[in-house]
Amino acid sequence: MKDLFGNEPNKLTFREWELREGAPLYRAGVTEMGTSNLIAYLLRDHSKGNRLLDAFGDLQSIADAPLALLKKVKGIGYADAERLKVAFELSRRLQEPELKSSPQIQSPRDVFNLLEDEMNRLKQEILKLLVLNTKNRVTHIETVFKGSLNASVIHPREIYRIAIQHAACGIIVAHNHPSGDVTPSKEDTHSTKELAKVGTLMQIPLMDHVIIGGTTFYSFKEEGIL
């Protein structure tokens, strides 16, 4: 379909599109721009955002896609795929607190002290992954899931993907109970046991699963479940 000027939208150069449509959107504020338009500015091509969304369905799927799969989308070259990966990695790091040091975990209390302030401010459940080195020092912390953990499965595949990426020698997972009651649910216990089995197979052991609520915590290791 042609516009009022007789041009086909996909035939416009990025500069033409920017002047006609992109600039007004940009002036309105980037928070008001659609996902495809944000990708258009990032890749300097107004059609690539639509192609990526058509191919993958949503932004998270684009972010999770490997370089080789991104490059299969028409018009997406290696430079575009790399630029997308860099943008998503910067976004991910912005959401995660930087470790000023590498705290050593010697007990569940250390996990509690490390995460207590952040987790007790939240009104929803989140699951954190702590990556440990050979000396049980935390080298990386990442939020793996948000939302009700009772209603969703803790996927070992995603957790161990991150663990391998950061050269983990062991991992600890921790989540919060906003109610303050740290009693584990049946789902908590089942997911922990399944995660421990995968850890044994991967030779990256699950050292503990800590539930934090208010001023107290529950340790699966201390309770003899791990």
Side-chain angles (χ1 to χ4, degrees):
M1 180 181 291
K2 297 182 179 180
D3 64 16
L4 293 175
F5 299 92
N7 295 312
E8 296 181 26
N10 287 338
K11 299 296 184 181
L12 296 174
T13 67
F14 176 76
R15 184 57 179 161
E16 289 170 337
W17 174 85
E18 184 180 27
L19 290 173
R20 185 169 300 172
E21 301 178 38
L25 289 169
Y26 189 84
R27 287 195 296 271
V30 292
T31 57
E32 302 299 320
M33 294 174 69
T35 300
S36 64
N37 289 326
L38 289 171
I39 296 174
Y41 266 87
L42 179 65
L43 301 183
R44 313 305 290 174
D45 187 315
H46 66 287
S47 63
K48 291 179 180 179
N50 288 330
R51 288 196 205 118
L52 284 161
L53 288 171
D54 287 344
F56 294 100
D58 56 50
L59 190 61
Q60 186 61 58
S61 297
I62 298 173
D64 292 340
L67 283 170
L69 202 54
L70 289 171
K71 288 168 58 183
K72 288 186 177 181
V73 177
K74 183 180 178 181
I76 302 298
Y78 189 80
D80 290 329
E82 277 198 326
R83 192 172 291 114
L84 285 166
K85 283 298 183 184
V86 168
F88 286 126
E89 177 61 17
L90 285 171
S91 176
R92 185 191 65 77
R93 292 187 187 188
L94 186 63
Q95 297 177 46
E96 298 296 332
E98 287 190 26
L99 289 173
K100 302 302 181 185
S101 59
S102 298
Q104 190 171 39
I105 303 299
Q106 296 179 313
S107 71
R109 171 65 64 178
D110 294 329
V111 178
F112 175 78
N113 291 339
L114 183 63
L115 301 176
E116 160 188 31
D117 289 342
E118 178 185 359
M119 286 194 158
N120 281 333
R121 291 197 302 265
L122 302 173
K123 298 184 184 295
Q124 68 176 40
E125 291 187 30
I126 67 169
L127 180 73
K128 290 275 191 183
L129 169 64
L130 280 65
V131 174
L132 306 178
N133 64 15
T134 54
K135 296 182 178 180
N136 282 348
R137 291 193 177 276
V138 180
T139 60
H140 179 73
I141 299 178
E142 186 163 334
T143 300
V144 185
F145 298 106
K146 294 182 180 180
S148 175
L149 298 181
N150 289 334
S152 62
V153 178
I154 298 174
H155 296 287
R157 180 177 61 183
E158 174 64 13
I159 289 173
Y160 275 97
R161 180 188 68 80
I162 299 169
I164 292 169
Q165 180 183 356
H166 292 277
C169 292
I171 63 169
I172 293 173
V173 293
H175 80 275
N176 60 316
H177 281 180
S179 66
D181 181 0
V182 295
T183 305
S185 66
K186 290 181 180 179
E187 291 86 352
D188 291 336
T189 302
H190 174 74
S191 297
T192 302
K193 290 179 178 179
E194 290 300 306
L195 192 58
K197 289 179 184 177
V198 175
T200 300
L201 291 173
M202 300 291 293
Q203 297 184 330
I204 304 175
L206 175 65
M207 310 299 290
D208 203 351
H209 180 178
V210 179
I211 301 173
I212 294 174
T215 59
T216 188
F217 62 89
Y218 178 98
S219 164
F220 281 83
K221 182 178 181 180
E222 281 192 343
E223 296 297 324
I225 298 174
L226 287 176

